[in-house]
Amino acid sequence: MNINQSILAMLLSAVMMTATASIDLHQFDSPEQESRYRALIEELRCPKCQNQNLAGSDAPIAQDLKQQTYEMIKAGRSDTEIRNYMFERYGDFISYKPPIRPSTWILWFFPPVLLLMLLLGWLYKSRGHNAKKFDEPTDELSASEEAKIAKILATHQQTQNKESS
């Protein structure tokens, strides 16, 4: 084996070791416990990574929180107890589904209220409430309008007569 092949083999083994380092190796008493664990680490957000859940994060704090979640499930704590523990310790930000309470009302109610206001504004504008109102056209011309039209027609006929002769 030459030097290039040995370097390639070392790099490949290093990549394989880092890829397998993030796999959880927890033993559960039942498939139900494992599914609860998976659901919770998918739902809970990594405090360091911010837009990544615990399942997808390799940050040390995410590893600690996954271990803590595992231990609480093994200890028989309910999902609500685990969520409450995480909320108390890390705040509402820890969850992608924060609870509805006065401190999170803006998260829950602002988007639908804003959408409703935009729809109402669009309906108001589209119905023509702000459009200028024009007078309805009448079929009859005033005397001055008839005189202007007669003058234009006479001028036009004179021009045509001159061109044809």
PDB file of all heavy atoms in Angstrom, residues 72-104:
ATOM      1  N   MET A  72     -34.981  10.237  32.064  1.00  0.00           N
ATOM      2  CA  MET A  72     -36.313  10.536  32.607  1.00  0.00           C
ATOM      3  C   MET A  72     -37.341   9.542  32.084  1.00  0.00           C
ATOM      4  O   MET A  72     -38.248   9.142  32.814  1.00  0.00           O
ATOM      5  CB  MET A  72     -36.711  11.974  32.265  1.00  0.00           C
ATOM      6  CG  MET A  72     -35.965  13.009  33.100  1.00  0.00           C
ATOM      7  SD  MET A  72     -36.632  14.669  32.920  1.00  0.00           S
ATOM      8  CE  MET A  72     -35.643  15.294  31.592  1.00  0.00           C
ATOM      9  N   ILE A  73     -37.216   9.126  30.827  1.00  0.00           N
ATOM     10  CA  ILE A  73     -38.140   8.125  30.287  1.00  0.00           C
ATOM     11  C   ILE A  73     -37.936   6.793  31.010  1.00  0.00           C
ATOM     12  O   ILE A  73     -38.901   6.131  31.392  1.00  0.00           O
ATOM     13  CB  ILE A  73     -37.957   7.981  28.760  1.00  0.00           C
ATOM     14  CG1 ILE A  73     -38.569   9.195  28.063  1.00  0.00           C
ATOM     15  CG2 ILE A  73     -38.586   6.696  28.240  1.00  0.00           C
ATOM     16  CD1 ILE A  73     -38.395   9.236  26.577  1.00  0.00           C
ATOM     17  N   LYS A  74     -36.682   6.421  31.208  1.00  0.00           N
ATOM     18  CA  LYS A  74     -36.385   5.166  31.924  1.00  0.00           C
ATOM     19  C   LYS A  74     -36.883   5.222  33.369  1.00  0.00           C
ATOM     20  O   LYS A  74     -37.267   4.198  33.932  1.00  0.00           O
ATOM     21  CB  LYS A  74     -34.877   4.889  31.913  1.00  0.00           C
ATOM     22  CG  LYS A  74     -34.323   4.508  30.567  1.00  0.00           C
ATOM     23  CD  LYS A  74     -34.758   3.148  30.111  1.00  0.00           C
ATOM     24  CE  LYS A  74     -33.899   2.110  30.761  1.00  0.00           C
ATOM     25  NZ  LYS A  74     -34.126   0.770  30.296  1.00  0.00           N
ATOM     26  N   ALA A  75     -36.900   6.429  33.974  1.00  0.00           N
ATOM     27  CA  ALA A  75     -37.364   6.592  35.353  1.00  0.00           C
ATOM     28  C   ALA A  75     -38.893   6.593  35.442  1.00  0.00           C
ATOM     29  O   ALA A  75     -39.447   6.672  36.543  1.00  0.00           O
ATOM     30  CB  ALA A  75     -36.803   7.877  35.949  1.00  0.00           C
ATOM     31  N   GLY A  76     -39.566   6.558  34.298  1.00  0.00           N
ATOM     32  CA  GLY A  76     -41.029   6.472  34.315  1.00  0.00           C
ATOM     33  C   GLY A  76     -41.740   7.814  34.285  1.00  0.00           C
ATOM     34  O   GLY A  76     -42.945   7.861  34.520  1.00  0.00           O
ATOM     35  N   ARG A  77     -41.034   8.872  34.000  1.00  0.00           N
ATOM     36  CA  ARG A  77     -41.685  10.187  33.943  1.00  0.00           C
ATOM     37  C   ARG A  77     -42.479  10.320  32.643  1.00  0.00           C
ATOM     38  O   ARG A  77     -42.095   9.786  31.605  1.00  0.00           O
ATOM     39  CB  ARG A  77     -40.649  11.286  34.080  1.00  0.00           C
ATOM     40  CG  ARG A  77     -39.985  11.205  35.467  1.00  0.00           C
ATOM     41  CD  ARG A  77     -38.945  12.217  35.711  1.00  0.00           C
ATOM     42  NE  ARG A  77     -39.530  13.517  36.024  1.00  0.00           N
ATOM     43  CZ  ARG A  77     -38.800  14.596  36.242  1.00  0.00           C
ATOM     44  NH1 ARG A  77     -37.486  14.527  36.190  1.00  0.00           N
ATOM     45  NH2 ARG A  77     -39.370  15.735  36.513  1.00  0.00           N
ATOM     46  N   SER A  78     -43.571  11.067  32.722  1.00  0.00           N
ATOM     47  CA  SER A  78     -44.436  11.239  31.549  1.00  0.00           C
ATOM     48  C   SER A  78     -43.848  12.290  30.599  1.00  0.00           C
ATOM     49  O   SER A  78     -42.963  13.065  30.975  1.00  0.00           O
ATOM     50  CB  SER A  78     -45.835  11.679  31.988  1.00  0.00           C
ATOM     51  OG  SER A  78     -45.793  13.005  32.466  1.00  0.00           O
ATOM     52  N   ASP A  79     -44.367  12.307  29.386  1.00  0.00           N
ATOM     53  CA  ASP A  79     -43.911  13.292  28.405  1.00  0.00           C
ATOM     54  C   ASP A  79     -44.176  14.712  28.897  1.00  0.00           C
ATOM     55  O   ASP A  79     -43.344  15.609  28.709  1.00  0.00           O
ATOM     56  CB  ASP A  79     -44.617  13.080  27.063  1.00  0.00           C
ATOM     57  CG  ASP A  79     -44.168  11.803  26.365  1.00  0.00           C
ATOM     58  OD1 ASP A  79     -43.248  11.136  26.875  1.00  0.00           O
ATOM     59  OD2 ASP A  79     -44.742  11.490  25.302  1.00  0.00           O
ATOM     60  N   THR A  80     -45.310  14.922  29.552  1.00  0.00           N
ATOM     61  CA  THR A  80     -45.638  16.243  30.091  1.00  0.00           C
ATOM     62  C   THR A  80     -44.641  16.653  31.162  1.00  0.00           C
ATOM     63  O   THR A  80     -44.197  17.814  31.190  1.00  0.00           O
ATOM     64  CB  THR A  80     -47.066  16.239  30.674  1.00  0.00           C
ATOM     65  OG1 THR A  80     -47.972  15.780  29.664  1.00  0.00           O
ATOM     66  CG2 THR A  80     -47.480  17.613  31.142  1.00  0.00           C
ATOM     67  N   GLU A  81     -44.277  15.741  32.036  1.00  0.00           N
ATOM     68  CA  GLU A  81     -43.281  16.053  33.066  1.00  0.00           C
ATOM     69  C   GLU A  81     -41.924  16.394  32.448  1.00  0.00           C
ATOM     70  O   GLU A  81     -41.256  17.333  32.883  1.00  0.00           O
ATOM     71  CB  GLU A  81     -43.116  14.870  34.021  1.00  0.00           C
ATOM     72  CG  GLU A  81     -44.296  14.621  34.923  1.00  0.00           C
ATOM     73  CD  GLU A  81     -44.132  13.355  35.752  1.00  0.00           C
ATOM     74  OE1 GLU A  81     -43.613  12.351  35.238  1.00  0.00           O
ATOM     75  OE2 GLU A  81     -44.537  13.388  36.938  1.00  0.00           O
ATOM     76  N   ILE A  82     -41.549  15.663  31.415  1.00  0.00           N
ATOM     77  CA  ILE A  82     -40.268  15.929  30.747  1.00  0.00           C
ATOM     78  C   ILE A  82     -40.300  17.294  30.071  1.00  0.00           C
ATOM     79  O   ILE A  82     -39.363  18.089  30.197  1.00  0.00           O
ATOM     80  CB  ILE A  82     -39.939  14.805  29.734  1.00  0.00           C
ATOM     81  CG1 ILE A  82     -39.724  13.492  30.483  1.00  0.00           C
ATOM     82  CG2 ILE A  82     -38.713  15.161  28.910  1.00  0.00           C
ATOM     83  CD1 ILE A  82     -39.637  12.277  29.581  1.00  0.00           C
ATOM     84  N   ARG A  83     -41.410  17.585  29.357  1.00  0.00           N
ATOM     85  CA  ARG A  83     -41.536  18.902  28.708  1.00  0.00           C
ATOM     86  C   ARG A  83     -41.503  20.020  29.743  1.00  0.00           C
ATOM     87  O   ARG A  83     -40.827  21.036  29.551  1.00  0.00           O
ATOM     88  CB  ARG A  83     -42.838  18.975  27.913  1.00  0.00           C
ATOM     89  CG  ARG A  83     -42.779  18.294  26.593  1.00  0.00           C
ATOM     90  CD  ARG A  83     -44.050  18.577  25.780  1.00  0.00           C
ATOM     91  NE  ARG A  83     -44.170  17.601  24.738  1.00  0.00           N
ATOM     92  CZ  ARG A  83     -44.932  16.514  24.790  1.00  0.00           C
ATOM     93  NH1 ARG A  83     -45.693  16.274  25.854  1.00  0.00           N
ATOM     94  NH2 ARG A  83     -44.969  15.678  23.789  1.00  0.00           N
ATOM     95  N   ASN A  84     -42.242  19.861  30.840  1.00  0.00           N
ATOM     96  CA  ASN A  84     -42.268  20.893  31.879  1.00  0.00           C
ATOM     97  C   ASN A  84     -40.873  21.122  32.464  1.00  0.00           C
ATOM     98  O   ASN A  84     -40.474  22.259  32.723  1.00  0.00           O
ATOM     99  CB  ASN A  84     -43.258  20.540  32.988  1.00  0.00           C
ATOM    100  CG  ASN A  84     -44.691  20.682  32.534  1.00  0.00           C
ATOM    101  OD1 ASN A  84     -44.979  21.375  31.564  1.00  0.00           O
ATOM    102  ND2 ASN A  84     -45.596  20.013  33.224  1.00  0.00           N
ATOM    103  N   TYR A  85     -40.133  20.051  32.676  1.00  0.00           N
ATOM    104  CA  TYR A  85     -38.758  20.173  33.182  1.00  0.00           C
ATOM    105  C   TYR A  85     -37.907  20.991  32.197  1.00  0.00           C
ATOM    106  O   TYR A  85     -37.157  21.881  32.603  1.00  0.00           O
ATOM    107  CB  TYR A  85     -38.155  18.778  33.384  1.00  0.00           C
ATOM    108  CG  TYR A  85     -36.678  18.807  33.705  1.00  0.00           C
ATOM    109  CD1 TYR A  85     -36.245  19.071  35.004  1.00  0.00           C
ATOM    110  CD2 TYR A  85     -35.725  18.598  32.721  1.00  0.00           C
ATOM    111  CE1 TYR A  85     -34.887  19.106  35.305  1.00  0.00           C
ATOM    112  CE2 TYR A  85     -34.372  18.632  33.013  1.00  0.00           C
ATOM    113  CZ  TYR A  85     -33.954  18.895  34.303  1.00  0.00           C
ATOM    114  OH  TYR A  85     -32.628  18.944  34.599  1.00  0.00           O
ATOM    115  N   MET A  86     -38.034  20.674  30.928  1.00  0.00           N
ATOM    116  CA  MET A  86     -37.255  21.399  29.916  1.00  0.00           C
ATOM    117  C   MET A  86     -37.678  22.869  29.830  1.00  0.00           C
ATOM    118  O   MET A  86     -36.830  23.752  29.703  1.00  0.00           O
ATOM    119  CB  MET A  86     -37.397  20.728  28.541  1.00  0.00           C
ATOM    120  CG  MET A  86     -36.843  19.333  28.480  1.00  0.00           C
ATOM    121  SD  MET A  86     -35.058  19.301  28.663  1.00  0.00           S
ATOM    122  CE  MET A  86     -34.730  17.566  28.435  1.00  0.00           C
ATOM    123  N   PHE A  87     -39.000  23.129  29.927  1.00  0.00           N
ATOM    124  CA  PHE A  87     -39.485  24.514  29.882  1.00  0.00           C
ATOM    125  C   PHE A  87     -38.971  25.308  31.072  1.00  0.00           C
ATOM    126  O   PHE A  87     -38.585  26.469  30.939  1.00  0.00           O
ATOM    127  CB  PHE A  87     -41.017  24.568  29.853  1.00  0.00           C
ATOM    128  CG  PHE A  87     -41.619  24.174  28.536  1.00  0.00           C
ATOM    129  CD1 PHE A  87     -42.762  23.397  28.490  1.00  0.00           C
ATOM    130  CD2 PHE A  87     -41.061  24.574  27.339  1.00  0.00           C
ATOM    131  CE1 PHE A  87     -43.324  23.026  27.290  1.00  0.00           C
ATOM    132  CE2 PHE A  87     -41.614  24.216  26.126  1.00  0.00           C
ATOM    133  CZ  PHE A  87     -42.753  23.434  26.102  1.00  0.00           C
ATOM    134  N   GLU A  88     -39.011  24.687  32.267  1.00  0.00           N
ATOM    135  CA  GLU A  88     -38.530  25.375  33.467  1.00  0.00           C
ATOM    136  C   GLU A  88     -37.052  25.704  33.365  1.00  0.00           C
ATOM    137  O   GLU A  88     -36.602  26.758  33.798  1.00  0.00           O
ATOM    138  CB  GLU A  88     -38.780  24.510  34.705  1.00  0.00           C
ATOM    139  CG  GLU A  88     -40.228  24.421  35.112  1.00  0.00           C
ATOM    140  CD  GLU A  88     -40.460  23.391  36.209  1.00  0.00           C
ATOM    141  OE1 GLU A  88     -39.474  22.924  36.823  1.00  0.00           O
ATOM    142  OE2 GLU A  88     -41.627  23.040  36.443  1.00  0.00           O
ATOM    143  N   ARG A  89     -36.306  24.799  32.808  1.00  0.00           N
ATOM    144  CA  ARG A  89     -34.858  24.979  32.750  1.00  0.00           C
ATOM    145  C   ARG A  89     -34.400  25.845  31.582  1.00  0.00           C
ATOM    146  O   ARG A  89     -33.487  26.651  31.726  1.00  0.00           O
ATOM    147  CB  ARG A  89     -34.209  23.605  32.647  1.00  0.00           C
ATOM    148  CG  ARG A  89     -32.729  23.659  32.755  1.00  0.00           C
ATOM    149  CD  ARG A  89     -32.218  22.478  33.498  1.00  0.00           C
ATOM    150  NE  ARG A  89     -30.799  22.681  33.758  1.00  0.00           N
ATOM    151  CZ  ARG A  89     -29.940  21.740  33.905  1.00  0.00           C
ATOM    152  NH1 ARG A  89     -30.354  20.498  33.834  1.00  0.00           N
ATOM    153  NH2 ARG A  89     -28.687  21.997  34.137  1.00  0.00           N
ATOM    154  N   TYR A  90     -35.024  25.704  30.397  1.00  0.00           N
ATOM    155  CA  TYR A  90     -34.549  26.386  29.194  1.00  0.00           C
ATOM    156  C   TYR A  90     -35.541  27.376  28.601  1.00  0.00           C
ATOM    157  O   TYR A  90     -35.240  28.015  27.600  1.00  0.00           O
ATOM    158  CB  TYR A  90     -34.167  25.351  28.124  1.00  0.00           C
ATOM    159  CG  TYR A  90     -33.052  24.455  28.586  1.00  0.00           C
ATOM    160  CD1 TYR A  90     -33.310  23.180  29.069  1.00  0.00           C
ATOM    161  CD2 TYR A  90     -31.736  24.899  28.573  1.00  0.00           C
ATOM    162  CE1 TYR A  90     -32.287  22.359  29.515  1.00  0.00           C
ATOM    163  CE2 TYR A  90     -30.707  24.091  29.018  1.00  0.00           C
ATOM    164  CZ  TYR A  90     -30.989  22.824  29.488  1.00  0.00           C
ATOM    165  OH  TYR A  90     -29.974  22.028  29.930  1.00  0.00           O
ATOM    166  N   GLY A  91     -36.721  27.489  29.173  1.00  0.00           N
ATOM    167  CA  GLY A  91     -37.707  28.438  28.671  1.00  0.00           C
ATOM    168  C   GLY A  91     -38.513  27.868  27.514  1.00  0.00           C
ATOM    169  O   GLY A  91     -38.308  26.740  27.080  1.00  0.00           O
ATOM    170  N   ASP A  92     -39.438  28.682  27.006  1.00  0.00           N
ATOM    171  CA  ASP A  92     -40.329  28.249  25.937  1.00  0.00           C
ATOM    172  C   ASP A  92     -39.584  27.991  24.628  1.00  0.00           C
ATOM    173  O   ASP A  92     -40.071  27.273  23.764  1.00  0.00           O
ATOM    174  CB  ASP A  92     -41.412  29.303  25.692  1.00  0.00           C
ATOM    175  CG  ASP A  92     -42.365  29.416  26.861  1.00  0.00           C
ATOM    176  OD1 ASP A  92     -42.525  28.418  27.586  1.00  0.00           O
ATOM    177  OD2 ASP A  92     -42.941  30.501  27.052  1.00  0.00           O
ATOM    178  N   PHE A  93     -38.415  28.571  24.490  1.00  0.00           N
ATOM    179  CA  PHE A  93     -37.649  28.421  23.258  1.00  0.00           C
ATOM    180  C   PHE A  93     -37.220  26.971  23.001  1.00  0.00           C
ATOM    181  O   PHE A  93     -36.954  26.596  21.863  1.00  0.00           O
ATOM    182  CB  PHE A  93     -36.402  29.324  23.306  1.00  0.00           C
ATOM    183  CG  PHE A  93     -35.579  29.247  22.072  1.00  0.00           C
ATOM    184  CD1 PHE A  93     -35.966  29.929  20.928  1.00  0.00           C
ATOM    185  CD2 PHE A  93     -34.430  28.478  22.025  1.00  0.00           C
ATOM    186  CE1 PHE A  93     -35.217  29.845  19.771  1.00  0.00           C
ATOM    187  CE2 PHE A  93     -33.670  28.384  20.867  1.00  0.00           C
ATOM    188  CZ  PHE A  93     -34.069  29.080  19.741  1.00  0.00           C
ATOM    189  N   ILE A  94     -37.179  26.155  24.017  1.00  0.00           N
ATOM    190  CA  ILE A  94     -36.712  24.773  23.888  1.00  0.00           C
ATOM    191  C   ILE A  94     -37.635  23.940  23.005  1.00  0.00           C
ATOM    192  O   ILE A  94     -37.225  22.912  22.487  1.00  0.00           O
ATOM    193  CB  ILE A  94     -36.538  24.104  25.287  1.00  0.00           C
ATOM    194  CG1 ILE A  94     -35.746  22.795  25.196  1.00  0.00           C
ATOM    195  CG2 ILE A  94     -37.871  23.831  25.924  1.00  0.00           C
ATOM    196  CD1 ILE A  94     -34.283  22.977  24.998  1.00  0.00           C
ATOM    197  N   SER A  95     -38.863  24.395  22.811  1.00  0.00           N
ATOM    198  CA  SER A  95     -39.828  23.598  22.061  1.00  0.00           C
ATOM    199  C   SER A  95     -40.227  24.276  20.756  1.00  0.00           C
ATOM    200  O   SER A  95     -40.340  25.498  20.674  1.00  0.00           O
ATOM    201  CB  SER A  95     -41.090  23.391  22.902  1.00  0.00           C
ATOM    202  OG  SER A  95     -42.051  22.686  22.161  1.00  0.00           O
ATOM    203  N   TYR A  96     -40.430  23.451  19.730  1.00  0.00           N
ATOM    204  CA  TYR A  96     -40.991  23.952  18.478  1.00  0.00           C
ATOM    205  C   TYR A  96     -42.486  24.200  18.622  1.00  0.00           C
ATOM    206  O   TYR A  96     -43.089  24.846  17.777  1.00  0.00           O
ATOM    207  CB  TYR A  96     -40.758  22.949  17.340  1.00  0.00           C
ATOM    208  CG  TYR A  96     -39.349  22.963  16.810  1.00  0.00           C
ATOM    209  CD1 TYR A  96     -38.519  21.869  16.972  1.00  0.00           C
ATOM    210  CD2 TYR A  96     -38.844  24.062  16.134  1.00  0.00           C
ATOM    211  CE1 TYR A  96     -37.228  21.868  16.480  1.00  0.00           C
ATOM    212  CE2 TYR A  96     -37.550  24.073  15.645  1.00  0.00           C
ATOM    213  CZ  TYR A  96     -36.752  22.974  15.817  1.00  0.00           C
ATOM    214  OH  TYR A  96     -35.480  22.977  15.330  1.00  0.00           O
ATOM    215  N   LYS A  97     -43.093  23.670  19.678  1.00  0.00           N
ATOM    216  CA  LYS A  97     -44.515  23.862  19.962  1.00  0.00           C
ATOM    217  C   LYS A  97     -44.658  24.452  21.360  1.00  0.00           C
ATOM    218  O   LYS A  97     -45.032  23.746  22.300  1.00  0.00           O
ATOM    219  CB  LYS A  97     -45.258  22.530  19.894  1.00  0.00           C
ATOM    220  CG  LYS A  97     -45.186  21.829  18.580  1.00  0.00           C
ATOM    221  CD  LYS A  97     -45.864  20.471  18.699  1.00  0.00           C
ATOM    222  CE  LYS A  97     -45.484  19.572  17.563  1.00  0.00           C
ATOM    223  NZ  LYS A  97     -45.987  18.221  17.746  1.00  0.00           N
ATOM    224  N   PRO A  98     -44.360  25.744  21.537  1.00  0.00           N
ATOM    225  CA  PRO A  98     -44.447  26.317  22.884  1.00  0.00           C
ATOM    226  C   PRO A  98     -45.892  26.326  23.385  1.00  0.00           C
ATOM    227  O   PRO A  98     -46.822  26.381  22.589  1.00  0.00           O
ATOM    228  CB  PRO A  98     -43.915  27.739  22.707  1.00  0.00           C
ATOM    229  CG  PRO A  98     -44.066  28.044  21.266  1.00  0.00           C
ATOM    230  CD  PRO A  98     -43.975  26.739  20.546  1.00  0.00           C
ATOM    231  N   PRO A  99     -46.075  26.260  24.707  1.00  0.00           N
ATOM    232  CA  PRO A  99     -47.437  26.251  25.249  1.00  0.00           C
ATOM    233  C   PRO A  99     -48.115  27.603  25.031  1.00  0.00           C
ATOM    234  O   PRO A  99     -47.449  28.625  24.888  1.00  0.00           O
ATOM    235  CB  PRO A  99     -47.216  25.977  26.738  1.00  0.00           C
ATOM    236  CG  PRO A  99     -45.839  26.457  27.007  1.00  0.00           C
ATOM    237  CD  PRO A  99     -45.063  26.225  25.753  1.00  0.00           C
ATOM    238  N   ILE A 100     -49.435  27.582  25.018  1.00  0.00           N
ATOM    239  CA  ILE A 100     -50.186  28.831  24.853  1.00  0.00           C
ATOM    240  C   ILE A 100     -50.350  29.452  26.233  1.00  0.00           C
ATOM    241  O   ILE A 100     -51.033  28.906  27.098  1.00  0.00           O
ATOM    242  CB  ILE A 100     -51.558  28.574  24.205  1.00  0.00           C
ATOM    243  CG1 ILE A 100     -51.367  28.001  22.814  1.00  0.00           C
ATOM    244  CG2 ILE A 100     -52.358  29.863  24.133  1.00  0.00           C
ATOM    245  CD1 ILE A 100     -52.649  27.615  22.116  1.00  0.00           C
ATOM    246  N   ARG A 101     -49.711  30.594  26.426  1.00  0.00           N
ATOM    247  CA  ARG A 101     -49.822  31.374  27.654  1.00  0.00           C
ATOM    248  C   ARG A 101     -49.500  32.825  27.289  1.00  0.00           C
ATOM    249  O   ARG A 101     -49.008  33.078  26.190  1.00  0.00           O
ATOM    250  CB  ARG A 101     -48.929  30.820  28.745  1.00  0.00           C
ATOM    251  CG  ARG A 101     -47.482  30.681  28.415  1.00  0.00           C
ATOM    252  CD  ARG A 101     -46.704  30.188  29.639  1.00  0.00           C
ATOM    253  NE  ARG A 101     -45.458  29.571  29.240  1.00  0.00           N
ATOM    254  CZ  ARG A 101     -44.967  28.487  29.769  1.00  0.00           C
ATOM    255  NH1 ARG A 101     -45.598  27.879  30.734  1.00  0.00           N
ATOM    256  NH2 ARG A 101     -43.825  27.997  29.355  1.00  0.00           N
ATOM    257  N   PRO A 102     -49.774  33.776  28.173  1.00  0.00           N
ATOM    258  CA  PRO A 102     -49.593  35.193  27.802  1.00  0.00           C
ATOM    259  C   PRO A 102     -48.222  35.527  27.211  1.00  0.00           C
ATOM    260  O   PRO A 102     -48.131  36.339  26.300  1.00  0.00           O
ATOM    261  CB  PRO A 102     -49.825  35.940  29.111  1.00  0.00           C
ATOM    262  CG  PRO A 102     -50.776  35.064  29.864  1.00  0.00           C
ATOM    263  CD  PRO A 102     -50.388  33.657  29.507  1.00  0.00           C
ATOM    264  N   SER A 103     -47.180  34.877  27.660  1.00  0.00           N
ATOM    265  CA  SER A 103     -45.855  35.199  27.129  1.00  0.00           C
ATOM    266  C   SER A 103     -45.651  34.680  25.704  1.00  0.00           C
ATOM    267  O   SER A 103     -44.735  35.123  25.007  1.00  0.00           O
ATOM    268  CB  SER A 103     -44.765  34.646  28.045  1.00  0.00           C
ATOM    269  OG  SER A 103     -44.832  33.231  28.091  1.00  0.00           O
ATOM    270  N   THR A 104     -46.493  33.762  25.247  1.00  0.00           N
ATOM    271  CA  THR A 104     -46.341  33.228  23.885  1.00  0.00           C
ATOM    272  C   THR A 104     -47.524  33.573  22.984  1.00  0.00           C
ATOM    273  O   THR A 104     -47.607  33.067  21.866  1.00  0.00           O
ATOM    274  CB  THR A 104     -46.172  31.694  23.919  1.00  0.00           C
ATOM    275  OG1 THR A 104     -47.328  31.111  24.517  1.00  0.00           O
ATOM    276  CG2 THR A 104     -44.920  31.295  24.672  1.00  0.00           C
TER     277      THR A 104
END
